[in-house]
Amino acid sequence: MSPRTRPTDSRLRPARLRPADLLRLGLIGPRTRRLRSSLCALGISLGIAAVIAVTGISASNQAHLMERLDRLGSNLITVSPGKDVNNKEVPLPETAEKMLGNIAPVQKATATGKTTAHVYRNDLVPEEQTNSISVLATRRNLLTTLHGRLQVGRWFDTASENLPVTVLGDQSAQRLGISRPGERVWLGGQWYAVLGILTPNELTPELDTAALVGWPQATAHLGADNHPSAIYLRAFTERVDSVQRVAGATANPATPSAVAVSRPSDLLKARAETQNSLNGLVMTLAAVALLVGGVGIANTMVVGVMERRGEIGLRRALGARSGQITTQFLIEAVLLGFLGGITGLALGATTVLTYATLNGWPARIPLYTLAAGPLTAVVVATLAGLYPALRAAHMPPTTALRTT
């Protein structure tokens, strides 16, 4: 028999749906059940938004902290009096500041000293109402060593450090009701003019609640001695640890154990790490939100299978294969997860941007979060829709048609 006369195979062959056809079938559910699908995708989007917001706000906070440390410097070391075995404070020697300044890696050294004076808004305020403001003697190089700044006014110079003038910390100025230079305060039993007001300094918060006076003026009229109450050192960054190890013995060779040496930037980092440890709780809540969203998708898909049993039975009777039915319902679940992931990404990014802007932080969102957010939503939706899809695919046509 020649090839031309060979009979053709008249048996029907199962048709294959093209990807575009499968996509259109997958859109039937979301298009016909818009409210239910929107609420289902909302559960996923809230979980993704929570993940984006938590990681983004944490990253923004870290970036803000790093900017502050870069500005203030993480190479600051503070040396202050410690306590002996009897829990009594041991004053630093008068030579401590000079000896610490002679350490080779130390770039700058400065100090403050205690006084017996108190400061008040005027001479009519009772003596016991000090508002917890301390009066400190200060060196002229304190501001440059601490990388401090002034809100208003000016700092001490060679002439003003010998005059009855003061520079107030930020909180001290607020408690005294001082807002501009030139105003007077009652300090140590006489009037002092306010020379300037400092901006807050995270590395030296003790200066925010202090009234600073030039060292010569403080020793001459305010009962200050030459024993420093705090010495601030700026060291080369790569040698900070070395300076920190020898600072106690250098400041007080007789009793080095009675010297407190600290690095304020470590406190800031520890505070940030403590705050970040709480992110685990929020991430757990975000995971719960994702789980709830996944359960919502599973519930929607199961209800969709039950409502569309007649459609499933008819399609099976017309030759649709179980794999095509499975793919259709999986596409619906994946679409809901993808839409929820994209919406959550936008919502979370907006939250981070708004929060960072309100706090004056640089907005930062880790790139891995941007990629993992929608991907996680799709994975959760796929897992949630897998069982309903398989259930729909293995439903016998006769059973499905009888239930219409």
Side-chain angles (χ1 to χ4, degrees), residues 333-387:
V334 170
L335 284 175
L336 291 176
F338 179 74
L339 292 175
I342 294 299
T343 304
L345 179 61
L347 182 61
T350 302
T351 302
V352 172
L353 179 61
T354 303
Y355 191 87
T357 302
L358 291 177
N359 287 276
W361 298 353
R364 298 285 188 274
I365 301 178
L367 293 178
Y368 69 87
T369 305
L370 295 177
L375 180 61
T376 302
V378 171
V379 171
V380 170
T382 302
L383 295 176
L386 186 60
Y387 169 73

Side-chain angles (χ1 to χ4, degrees), residues 301-302 304-306 308-309 312-313 316 321-330 385-397 400:
M301 299 305 299
V302 170
V305 168
M306 296 177 63
R308 297 160 65 183
R309 284 177 294 186
I312 295 170
R316 291 295 307 276
R321 292 176 298 176
S322 60
Q324 294 172 345
I325 302 297
T326 302
T327 303
Q328 173 187 347
F329 282 92
L330 277 180
L386 186 60
Y387 169 73
L390 293 174
R391 180 179 177 183
H394 292 86
M395 185 178 295

Side-chain angles (χ1 to χ4, degrees), residues 145-196:
T145 303
L146 299 181
H147 296 175
R149 293 183 296 177
L150 290 163
Q151 296 183 34
V152 290
R154 59 191 180 89
W155 185 247
F156 299 103
D157 54 25
T158 306
S160 59
E161 69 174 351
N162 294 280
L163 299 175
V165 294
T166 180
V167 174
L168 300 177
D170 176 67
Q171 294 185 31
S172 299
Q174 295 180 24
R175 295 175 187 179
L176 293 171
I178 303 296
S179 58
R180 62 180 184 274
E183 297 188 58
R184 297 193 306 169
V185 293
W186 187 253
L187 194 155
Q190 69 178 99
W191 292 105
Y192 274 64
V194 175
L195 192 63

Side-chain angles (χ1 to χ4, degrees), residues 212-375:
L212 305 178
V213 180
W215 200 285
Q217 176 70 13
T219 53
H221 303 284
L222 302 178
D225 53 26
N226 286 321
H227 292 277
S229 60
I231 302 174
Y232 304 100
L233 308 176
R234 285 285 181 189
F236 291 105
T237 304
E238 63 276 7
R239 302 291 301 277
V240 170
D241 293 335
S242 300
V243 174
Q244 199 168 357
R245 285 194 295 267
V246 302
T250 304
N252 193 348
T255 53
S257 60
V259 178
V261 182
S262 63
R263 188 176 178 183
S265 59
D266 290 340
L267 299 178
L268 284 178
K269 291 179 180 178
R271 185 178 64 184
E273 291 174 359
T274 302
Q275 182 178 0
N276 289 338
S277 65
L278 299 177
N279 290 342
L281 175 62
V282 184
M283 293 294 286
T284 302
L285 297 178
V288 172
L290 281 175
L291 178 61
V292 172
V295 172
I297 288 182
N299 179 64
T300 298
M301 299 305 299
V302 170
V303 173
V305 168
M306 296 177 63
E307 291 180 346
R308 297 160 65 183
R309 284 177 294 186
E311 173 195 338
I312 295 170
L314 182 59
R315 290 191 58 209
R316 291 295 307 276
L318 292 176
R321 292 176 298 176
S322 60
Q324 294 172 345
I325 302 297
T326 302
T327 303
Q328 173 187 347
F329 282 92
L330 277 180
I331 288 176
E332 287 189 24
V334 170
L335 284 175
L336 291 176
F338 179 74
L339 292 175
I342 294 299
T343 304
L345 179 61
L347 182 61
T350 302
T351 302
V352 172
L353 179 61
T354 303
Y355 191 87
T357 302
L358 291 177
N359 287 276
W361 298 353
R364 298 285 188 274
I365 301 178
L367 293 178
Y368 69 87
T369 305
L370 295 177
L375 180 61

Side-chain angles (χ1 to χ4, degrees), residues 12-35:
L12 294 176
R13 295 181 179 178
R16 292 183 179 274
L17 291 177
R18 295 174 299 176
D21 296 328
L22 286 173
L23 182 60
R24 282 195 293 269
L25 285 174
L27 289 173
I28 291 177
R31 285 188 303 180
T32 57
R33 298 167 177 80
R34 295 181 180 178
L35 179 59

